[in-house]
Amino acid sequence: MAGSTERKERPGARFHGRVEANGRICVAPGCTEPGEFRAPPLEGPSDGNGPRAFRWMCLEHVRAFNAGYNFFDGMTADEIHQAQRPMAGWEAESRSFARAGAGQGPRWADFTDPLDAIAARFRREPAPERSDGKPLSGEDRASLKVLGLPADADRGALRKRYSELVRRYHPDRNGGDRSQEILLQKVIGAYQQLRQAPAFA
């Protein structure tokens, strides 16, 4: 029974916020209990060697301190209103953007792009031209890429390449192997699109 009483009076190491005192005494006047709970430092300027040290209290005194703590104590009505705004505290720039010239945004020279991942996305490749002058749409170019044909291919080359690829990917020509069916569908779709395209009319 004495053990349970002791546990109630002196919280265990798992009690939230408790730090082993190691000889530290509660700062409350006249208290000789171990100072195992941290409270904010006293207000006012520090001694110049960093922020002020925390106050350490026993459980009873830190509970009393927390019950009487008022974040808004000493503030005017306007200051309280400012502190309660949803965006309070977000107005200041973070350190990484608070340097001089940050308002201009980063320059391309500030980035390294060894894999050409950024620049390639914005670089426009010249559109492939056909000798007959017929224009190719983006869909035409994508279908030609599926079939592995150049932009200047004619209708005969289109039919020949289509026959080659159908024989290569069709399960009937590969002992029933259906692993290439997705490629076969892409080839059929590309051929159907190109044979109706104005460039191959």
Side-chain angles (χ1 to χ4, degrees):
M1 196 68 172
S4 63
T5 307
E6 185 181 338
R7 276 198 298 276
K8 285 182 182 175
E9 291 175 357
R10 181 180 172 81
R14 292 184 59 181
F15 190 95
H16 181 68
R18 179 177 179 266
V19 178
E20 193 66 46
N22 295 327
R24 195 172 43 235
I25 302 298
C26 175
V27 298
C31 184
T32 58
E33 292 294 313
E36 299 174 311
F37 297 90
R38 194 166 60 178
L42 293 164
E43 285 73 17
S46 69
D47 60 3
N49 294 325
R52 296 179 68 87
F54 286 101
R55 288 179 279 186
W56 291 93
M57 300 181 174
C58 66
L59 180 60
E60 180 184 344
H61 285 115
V62 83
R63 281 178 173 162
F65 174 86
N66 288 340
Y69 183 73
N70 181 1
F71 176 80
F72 302 108
D73 190 31
M75 289 187 181
T76 66
D78 286 339
E79 288 171 335
I80 292 172
H81 177 72
Q82 284 294 106
Q84 290 179 326
R85 288 182 313 108
M87 296 301 291
W90 291 94
E91 292 87 355
E93 288 184 331
S94 62
R95 282 186 294 175
S96 59
F97 291 103
R99 57 185 171 78
Q104 300 167 2
R107 300 168 303 152
W108 280 109
D110 294 339
F111 295 95
T112 56
D113 190 14
L115 300 177
D116 201 29
I118 300 170
R121 186 171 176 190
F122 297 99
R123 189 167 42 245
R124 291 188 179 271
E125 307 250 346
E129 297 295 328
R130 291 175 57 88
S131 59
D132 59 12
K134 293 180 179 178
L136 289 173
S137 69
E139 198 174 3
D140 294 341
R141 291 189 189 94
S143 295
L144 285 168
K145 190 173 181 181
V146 169
L147 297 176
L149 288 172
D152 214 19
D154 60 12
R155 198 168 179 86
L158 178 63
R159 279 195 301 264
K160 183 179 177 187
R161 181 64 174 161
Y162 172 68
S163 297
E164 289 172 5
L165 293 176
V166 167
R167 283 195 301 272
R168 182 184 302 173
Y169 298 135
H170 201 285
D172 292 348
R173 303 295 294 262
N174 291 290
D177 181 12
R178 303 177 77 89
S179 62
Q180 306 289 332
E181 274 191 335
I182 293 175
L183 286 172
L184 178 62
Q185 290 170 6
K186 287 183 179 179
V187 166
I188 294 169
Y191 175 72
Q192 294 297 335
Q193 189 271 317
L194 286 173
R195 74 187 189 91
Q196 297 170 26
F200 294 91

